[in-house]
Amino acid sequence: MKPDWLDTNEYPFESKYLQLDCGKMHYIDEGEGPVIVMVHGTPAWSFIYRNLIKILRPHYRCVAMDMIGFGLSDKPEDFSYKPRAHAANFEKLMEHLQLKNITLVVHDFGAPIGLAYALDHPQNIRNIVMLNTWTWSLSKHNTFSKASKYLVGPLGKFLHSKMNLSTGALVNELFSDAHNLPQPIQDQYVNALGSPEQQVRSLACARELVGVSKWYEELWQKRKSIQDIPTLILWGERDKLVKIEALQKWKRFFHECYVIHFEESGHFLQEENAEELAGYVSNFIKEEQKKREPAF
């Protein structure tokens, strides 16, 4: 049963669920062809990829999950909601679907989640597409540190659970660099986080942006296993959260790396530039496939 608040014109996909120990995890699996797996960040859900999927599904198999606590997935009280737990759930989905030759698309907080799988199973990853993200410790990053301390503190918890103020404000602030994002679309993100009490739990991942530095460091220490995977980086230069230094770090890391700059766009390229993103992703996959084809 789809919730009343869901706009099925914007999100016209068949819902699927994977039963986990902690609850049901929602995902969509649309189209046929080369596999593209998309991992969302916070406070988003698979809805953020809706326009890419509509464009790409005639020629690609597009898979996008909702992390537990987000979107149409369950929001259990006793789940940890920390990044390592989300990564474990993503791996279970990949095992369930038995996907190979994946183009992995990651954004924001979704990069540590998706790349944790890629680092352990590089043989299953054909290409990587990155949008404004990181996968290393943020303990010395002032912007993230301030946000994390606010969200984990008593005031942040009170605003989430008692006054229902901060989630709408958080979504509005994070999406403020997505030009002319209509209020009904913003509402799809706010409503997907559930009740105020549920928001406290699901946004634990935002509170853990800095708090799981050790896990981020563990991932970064294993990074060489994906260093040779062809990677396309799509980067909004007006991002208020993930700065250009992160892009420079990724460019130095990957051996085969292509970068597309969006000078007038911010953190949420999927909302601002979906048609362009879909074109770049499709062309990237096709070009990489040509390179692998035997020459006659």
Side-chain angles (χ1 to χ4, degrees):
M1 180 69 69
K2 293 185 178 179
D4 293 339
W5 55 261
L6 181 64
D7 185 341
T8 54
N9 290 320
E10 283 288 338
Y11 191 82
F13 309 123
E14 178 185 353
S15 291
K16 298 178 182 294
Y17 293 89
L18 176 64
Q19 183 65 55
L20 303 170
D21 291 340
C22 60
K24 291 188 299 182
M25 186 165 70
H26 174 263
Y27 69 98
I28 53 178
D29 189 346
E30 298 279 323
E32 296 181 357
V35 178
I36 305 175
V37 177
M38 307 176 188
V39 188
H40 69 81
T42 181
W45 54 294
S46 58
F47 181 82
I48 199 167
Y49 289 113
R50 68 195 183 283
N51 291 322
L52 273 77
I53 294 171
K54 291 173 191 175
I55 297 169
L56 292 169
R57 65 179 173 177
H59 305 288
Y60 299 92
R61 180 181 177 185
C62 300
V63 176
M65 71 168 186
D66 297 339
M67 296 182 204
I68 290 291
F70 293 81
L72 305 183
S73 289
D74 284 349
K75 300 169 174 59
E77 293 184 16
D78 55 353
F79 181 62
S80 77
Y81 293 97
K82 293 188 176 182
R84 193 187 298 266
H86 287 302
N89 289 341
F90 179 66
E91 180 157 0
K92 290 174 183 175
L93 177 62
M94 294 297 96
E95 291 173 354
H96 172 69
L97 295 176
Q98 291 291 296
L99 300 177
K100 307 289 184 183
N101 298 321
I102 297 166
T103 294
L104 181 64
V105 181
V106 294
H107 172 238
D108 184 81
F109 188 74
I113 307 305
L115 293 183
Y117 175 81
L119 289 164
D120 288 336
H121 306 278
Q123 71 281 3
N124 292 340
I125 307 300
R126 178 64 63 92
N127 309 298
I128 295 172
V129 178
M130 311 186 77
L131 300 85
N132 293 63
T133 191
W134 74 95
T135 306
W136 47 77
S137 172
L138 298 170
S139 59
K140 296 181 180 179
H141 193 297
N142 289 335
T143 302
F144 282 103
S145 295
K146 290 177 182 178
S148 184
K149 288 176 181 177
Y150 162 74
L151 288 165
V152 79
L155 176 60
K157 289 183 178 179
F158 175 75
L159 290 173
H160 278 300
S161 62
K162 304 302 181 186
M163 299 184 70
N164 195 21
L165 292 177
S166 57
T167 301
L170 176 64
V171 170
N172 183 64
E173 175 62 24
L174 289 177
F175 281 86
S176 63
D177 57 3
H179 307 306
N180 302 316
L181 187 67
Q183 188 61 49
I185 299 300
Q186 290 193 38
D187 290 343
Q188 295 293 296
Y189 292 104
V190 175
N191 291 332
L193 289 170
S195 68
E197 290 291 345
Q198 290 171 328
Q199 293 163 12
V200 174
R201 295 192 291 272
S202 61
L203 288 178
C205 64
R207 298 196 299 273
E208 293 292 333
L209 290 174
V210 174
V212 292
S213 292
K214 183 179 179 181
W215 185 65
Y216 289 140
E217 288 296 344
E218 290 175 6
L219 294 182
W220 193 240
Q221 290 303 315
K222 297 191 292 185
R223 63 189 183 276
K224 288 187 177 180
S225 68
I226 62 171
Q227 198 167 27
D228 292 323
I229 296 176
T231 299
L232 172 65
I233 301 179
L234 305 165
W235 202 269
E237 294 193 0
R238 294 196 174 186
D239 194 332
K240 298 176 181 178
L241 191 63
V242 185
K243 303 302 183 182
I244 199 70
E245 290 79 13
L247 171 60
Q248 301 304 327
K249 193 167 184 175
W250 286 123
K251 287 169 66 175
R252 291 192 299 269
F253 169 66
F254 285 108
H255 290 161
E256 186 181 343
C257 177
Y258 309 93
V259 180
I260 305 296
H261 296 267
F262 291 80
E263 295 180 358
E264 301 300 320
S265 299
H267 187 66
F268 293 95
L269 290 174
Q270 304 96 315
E271 289 291 354
E272 297 184 73
N273 306 92
E275 191 169 338
E276 291 174 87
L277 294 188
Y280 283 126
V281 170
S282 181
N283 289 337
F284 173 61
I285 294 172
K286 291 175 182 176
E287 289 301 316
E288 289 304 316
Q289 180 59 38
K290 286 180 183 178
K291 291 178 183 179
R292 295 180 175 92
E293 293 173 353
F296 295 100

